[in-house]
């Protein structure tokens, strides 16, 4: 019987929808009737385990799962023996230290002697040690942001994304100790067969992520401006140029990094490009 790669993903929470969408874009459809804990994919040699995110690094390290999708913050906090592979571009957040907004804060030294509440004692402890800060850590498992308000701690170290939780609790972010996003992790040792499935999965993930970061751009350009337009386009290769039915004009197609679009658009217009269309790309296989 052929082996299956066992992939642990978050059962329900901030990671689950994006993980399911990514797998779907990779050709792995997730259907979970009756909220089962295990699912075998029909189109790929993969089995999905639905678990709590905190358990994923341990399961992968212990061989209960072969690979997993989890926040980098959770992996680094647990510090298990796993391989960290691709960064997946979702669930972006930071792990930060925050103090009451009325506190004076000039530098890390100001944290000496403070009492900090967190669910990330491992990461925070290592951060203090690396920076020679003598502060005490109070581990709590939830609602960390209320700790200073109820007199439990002087400050907190917690996950921040928009920052609104900090603001509504009268806190200010003073140090970012980690920038995190969802990552693919795998156990250090896999059978040859499972490693081959993981390689295929990674190849598909990378094709999907690359596509997300690029746009397909089409425009009409007077023939005398084509060279200028080619110089402006930050494409992967030379653009495709095709004659239009209208004499003296061509259609120019290219793939550009998404972030470059607004930087080049004015230059393209100035060079004579018209009727620009910018289209999302579903997959990019290079
Ligand atoms: O039930 P299970 O244990 O599986 O899930 P969970 O409740 O432990 O985790 P979940 O689903 O809340 O988060 C999963 C992962 O999403 C985290 O480990 C992070 O990698 C990532 N992530 C991204 C976040 C946030 N953004 C986030 N904003 N995790 C938590 N938050 C919380 C944060 O703890 C704080 O309470 O949101 C609040 C701050 O948000 P802002 O927007 O107000 O700053
Ligand atoms: Zn959790």
């Amino acid at each position: 019987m052929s082996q299956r790669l066992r992939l642990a993903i978050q059962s329900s929470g901030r990671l689950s929808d994006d993980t399911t969408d990514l797998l779907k874009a990779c050709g792995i459809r997730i259907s979970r009737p009756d909220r089962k804990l295990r699912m075998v994919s029909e189109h790929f040699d993969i089995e999905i385990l639905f678990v709590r995110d905190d358990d994923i690094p341990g399961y992968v390290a212990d061989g209960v799962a072969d690979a997993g999708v989890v926040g980098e913050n959770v992996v680094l906090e647990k510090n298990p023996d796993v391989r960290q592979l691709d960064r997946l571009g979702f669930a972006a957040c930071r792990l930060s230290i925050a103090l009451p907004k009325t506190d004076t804060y000039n530098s890390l030294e100001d944290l000496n002697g403070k009492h900090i509440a967190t669910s990330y004692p491992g990461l925070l402890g290592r951060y203090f040690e690396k920076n020679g800060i003598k502060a005490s850590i109070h581990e709590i498992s939830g609602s960390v942001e209320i700790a200073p308000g109820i007199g439990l701690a002087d400050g907190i170290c917690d996950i921040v994304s928009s920052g609104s939780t900090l603001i509504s609790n009268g806190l200010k972010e003073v140090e970012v100790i980690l920038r995190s996003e969802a990552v693919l992790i795998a156990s250090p040792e896999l059978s040859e067969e499972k490693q081959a499935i993981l390689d295929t999965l990674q190849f598909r993930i990378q094709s999907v992520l690359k596509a997300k970061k690029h746009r397909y751009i089409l425009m009409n350009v007077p023939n005398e401006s084509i060279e200028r337009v080619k110089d402006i386009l930050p494409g992967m290769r030379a653009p495709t140029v095709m004659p239009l039915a209208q004499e003296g004009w061509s259609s120019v197609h290219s793939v550009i990094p998404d972030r470059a679009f607004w930087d080049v658009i004015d230059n393209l217009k100035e060079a004579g490009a018209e009727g620009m269309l910018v289209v999302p790309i579903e997959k990019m296989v290079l």
Side-chain angles (χ1 to χ4, degrees), residues 1 7 10 21 26-27 41-42 50 60 68 81 93 100 106 139 143 158 163 174 197 210 221-222 226 255 262 267 283:
M1 201 188 90
L7 179 73
Q10 190 188 29
D21 290 349
C26 293
S41 166
E42 281 171 29
F50 300 93
V60 174
D81 183 18
C93 57
N106 296 311
E139 183 177 355
S143 305
D158 199 12
V174 296
I197 304 169
K210 238 175 257 151
V221 179
I226 288 176
V255 171
W262 293 111
N267 296 341
K283 312 262 185 330

Side-chain angles (χ1 to χ4, degrees), residues 10 12-15 51-54 71-74 91-93 120 145 158-165 180:
Q10 190 188 29
S12 84
R14 283 191 167 85
L15 302 169
V51 296
R52 284 199 56 198
D53 69 341
D54 313 72
E72 194 184 13
N73 49 307
V74 175
C93 57
Y120 292 86
E145 64 280 359
D158 199 12
I159 298 291
V160 180
S161 61
S162 68
S164 60
T165 303
S180 171

Side-chain angles (χ1 to χ4, degrees), residues 215-221 226 229-230 233-244 249-256 268 273-279 281:
R215 294 287 179 269
Y216 193 76
I217 181 167
L218 307 87
M219 70 204 90
N220 298 333
V221 179
I226 288 176
V229 164
K230 272 190 192 169
L233 283 172
M236 306 196 301
R237 295 230 170 87
T240 308
V241 180
M242 285 176 289
L244 283 183
W249 282 77
S250 295
S251 171
V252 175
H253 298 200
S254 186
V255 171
I256 63 169
L268 290 171
E274 288 180 8
M276 272 178 247
L277 286 181
V278 181
V279 190
I281 301 170

Side-chain angles (χ1 to χ4, degrees), residues 144-190:
V144 176
E145 64 280 359
I146 63 169
I150 59 172
L152 192 67
D154 302 313
I156 66 165
C157 171
D158 199 12
I159 298 291
V160 180
S161 61
S162 68
S164 60
T165 303
L166 293 184
I167 292 170
S168 59
N169 285 280
L171 300 168
K172 63 179 175 188
E173 194 172 0
V174 296
E175 296 291 341
V176 175
I177 76 172
L178 173 76
R179 289 190 188 275
S180 171
E181 64 187 90
V183 291
L184 178 69
I185 56 170
S187 90
E189 296 271 345
L190 286 178

